Amino acid sequence: MSLMEIRDSNGTELHDGDSVTLIKDLKVKGTSETIKRGTLVKNIRLNGRDGEIECNTKQVKGLVLKTEFVKKA
């Protein structure tokens, strides 16, 4: 199995434990929460799926984000 390179919206490679910042307000499916642009998300986890990362925020635990909506902090 080859290692997949996960990149943010600017093309910067992401790794487990990195911090990212949202570049767009995002509504969270299944809740009434909206995570605002500029929110810092610490300690991300790569889940092995291309274009997705897992993380926790103050509002939502176990969140999966598309990498097109984040940039490395």
Side-chain angles (χ1 to χ4, degrees), residues 4-17:
M4 196 180 314
E5 289 184 356
I6 305 296
R7 298 191 176 271
D8 69 2
S9 61
N10 294 330
T12 306
E13 191 171 353
L14 297 173
H15 302 284
D16 280 337

Side-chain angles (χ1 to χ4, degrees), residues 11-13 21 26 28 31 39-40 43 47 51 54 57 62 66 69:
T12 306
E13 191 171 353
T21 304
L26 297 175
V28 181
T31 71
T39 301
L40 179 67
N43 200 21
N47 60 12
E54 294 179 358
T57 65
K66 296 270 189 189
F69 300 122

Side-chain angles (χ1 to χ4, degrees), residues 4-63:
M4 196 180 314
E5 289 184 356
I6 305 296
R7 298 191 176 271
D8 69 2
S9 61
N10 294 330
T12 306
E13 191 171 353
L14 297 173
H15 302 284
D16 280 337
D18 282 349
S19 295
V20 295
T21 304
L22 294 180
I23 61 170
K24 180 180 177 182
D25 288 356
L26 297 175
K27 289 192 62 63
V28 181
K29 285 185 181 178
T31 71
S32 60
E33 294 288 335
T34 299
I35 301 174
K36 298 291 184 187
R37 177 177 170 250
T39 301
L40 179 67
V41 180
K42 297 179 181 177
N43 200 21
I44 65 167
R45 293 174 305 283
L46 305 181
N47 60 12
R49 286 177 284 200
D50 192 24
E52 293 183 356
I53 57 171
E54 294 179 358
C55 59
N56 293 323
T57 65
K58 290 178 183 174
Q59 301 98 332
V60 183
K61 305 295 182 214
L63 186 64

